[in-house]
Amino acid sequence: MLKTPDPHEGILAIDTHVDIPWPTGPSPFADGARCVDLPKLKIGRIAGVCFVAYVPQFGRDAAGDAAAVARARAMLDAIAGMAPADGSGGVLAFTADAIEAAYAAGKTAIIPAIENGYAMAKDLSLLDEYAARGVRYITITHNGHNDLADAAIPRKDLNDVEAEHGGLSELGVAAVKRMNELGILPDISHTSKTTMLQVVKLSRVPVMASHSCMRALCDHPRNLDDEQLEALRGTGGLVQVTMVSNFLRPRARARDLTVADIADHIDYAVGKMGIDHVGIGSDFDGGGGVSDYRNAAQSPHLTEELARRGYDHAALSKIWGGNFLRLLRQAEAIKI
Ligand SMILES: [Zn+2]
């Protein structure tokens, strides 16, 4: 009997946006309640994950800033903790080469990232510390404006006006420039369109949206419109399609959606931008997941859906990780 071809076979797959439970939660080493833990990554054959130290936006006074920095540091410690020195977990991978080496060795690559530039408060030197800890991208804002930039979703509870800086602040401009110098990718998921277009103009490295969907398919302020996709493509950048239900379909619930809904957004992005500019960032453990892709163990379901739509091995390899590795290498090449 002929073996059914397995489209996920031989693919170095990277999920570019996964949260961690905080401050407490199930262990990353056991197959438990988390959408993403090391056993599920093995089952789902995901080679690497960008785990984010997510800092929710709060006050920007000295106390708020100090708390944001403390939280980011502690979460980065927890992320590093997924790669214990005895080799029983994943391995920290700070470069594209290291991710490929981990894959070759059959180890899960743990790639640190930060969600919300609030984590650097008003102190550019913290970017150096984060880079030294291996952080490969920083999402410039979360929901709510910060000191760097305007967000796509202002926070009324924090007294946000519609647009505070008109895009990037002076500090935000300096932060993007410093990120470029340190090899940290600027991530424009969550930022306002004005911010996003300014980052695209300013950054010397192609720009990424680590977890976003297509506004043409689902009119949500967190999604990217065609002009934004065009701008990203112009930089050589990436949109990493996410699987948050109400970004995929208006007011949808996760249980009503399937991998076909995710694939629709991937198809659209590929149609607009080309196969070299699209990837996957699930937002698992941060709100991501659909009925037949509830956790990392089910990752091949999405690969199978894409294969059914005609994506071949080369295309699947680009979407699942090749494009992101290219971006990391471009960032590494201009690092000073
Ligand atoms: Zn997010």
Side-chain angles (χ1 to χ4, degrees), residues 17 19 54 115 139 142-143 189-190 210-211 222 247 283 286:
H17 198 92
D19 280 86
Y54 156 59
E115 185 170 23
T139 316
H142 191 253
N143 300 331
S189 285
H190 283 289
S210 71
H211 61 306
R222 266 285 278 109
F247 301 172
D283 210 8

Side-chain angles (χ1 to χ4, degrees), residues 20-317:
I20 60 168
W22 195 258
T24 56
S27 161
F29 302 106
D31 189 349
R34 288 168 75 148
C35 298
V36 178
D37 48 43
L38 288 158
K40 290 194 190 76
L41 290 168
K42 280 279 173 221
I43 297 165
R45 290 176 285 157
I46 296 295
V49 175
C50 299
F51 284 104
V52 294
Y54 156 59
V55 183
Q57 191 62 47
F58 285 113
R60 288 186 255 156
D61 55 354
D65 282 353
V69 175
R71 174 169 166 142
R73 283 178 169 149
M75 292 185 85
L76 289 172
D77 287 345
I79 291 164
M82 289 185 228
D86 67 5
S88 60
V91 291
L92 282 173
F94 298 167
T95 63
D97 283 353
I99 295 166
E100 286 179 343
Y103 178 65
K107 304 292 276 184
T108 302
I110 311 288
I111 309 153
I114 288 176
E115 185 170 23
N116 197 353
Y118 182 37
M120 62 159 257
K122 298 165 185 64
D123 182 359
L124 282 172
S125 76
L126 278 168
L127 294 178
D128 293 61
E129 176 188 323
Y130 295 143
R133 286 165 171 257
V135 167
R136 290 312 308 272
Y137 73 75
I138 296 179
T139 316
I140 292 170
T141 69
H142 191 253
N143 300 331
H145 309 321
N146 61 23
D147 286 313
L148 307 185
D150 293 338
I153 302 179
R155 288 263 304 272
K156 294 226 161 47
D157 60 321
L158 296 174
N159 300 315
D160 278 354
V161 292
E162 193 52 36
E164 175 181 335
H165 308 288
L168 285 165
S169 68
E170 241 173 78
L171 181 67
V173 169
V176 170
K177 287 182 176 167
R178 188 66 189 143
M179 281 188 232
N180 280 175
E181 291 169 355
L182 293 166
I184 299 174
L185 297 168
D187 169 23
I188 53 79
S189 285
H190 283 289
T191 70
S192 73
K193 180 172 176 177
T194 312
T195 300
M196 180 267 171
L197 293 173
Q198 290 176 6
V199 174
V200 162
K201 269 218 178 99
L202 176 66
S203 179
R204 291 187 293 128
V205 180
V207 171
M208 173 177 73
S210 71
H211 61 306
S212 292
C213 286
M214 308 308 124
R215 196 135 186 190
L217 301 187
C218 179
D219 187 15
H220 188 289
R222 266 285 278 109
N223 287 344
L224 302 175
D225 66 24
D226 289 356
E227 185 188 354
Q228 290 175 290
L229 299 182
E230 187 65 35
L232 275 184
R233 195 178 66 96
T235 72
L238 301 183
V239 59
Q240 304 291 99
V241 172
T242 195
M243 43 194 86
V244 175
S245 54
N246 58 346
F247 301 172
L248 288 165
R249 238 202 265 166
R251 292 169 299 281
R253 292 164 304 182
R255 65 173 185 263
D256 301 325
L257 302 175
T258 69
V259 288
D261 294 282
I262 304 166
D264 287 346
H265 283 257
I266 292 175
D267 278 347
Y268 187 87
V270 170
K272 282 279 168 202
M273 302 167 77
I275 194 69
D276 292 323
H277 303 284
V278 183
I280 295 161
S282 66
D283 210 8
F284 274 140
D285 294 315
V290 298
S291 63
D292 53 354
Y293 192 4
R294 283 175 286 112
N295 59 54
Q298 296 178 320
S299 301
H301 289 172
L302 178 57
T303 317
E304 286 154 19
E305 173 65 22
L306 293 171
R308 269 194 293 276
R309 295 181 183 211
Y311 292 87
D312 63 10
H313 181 79
L316 292 169
S317 298

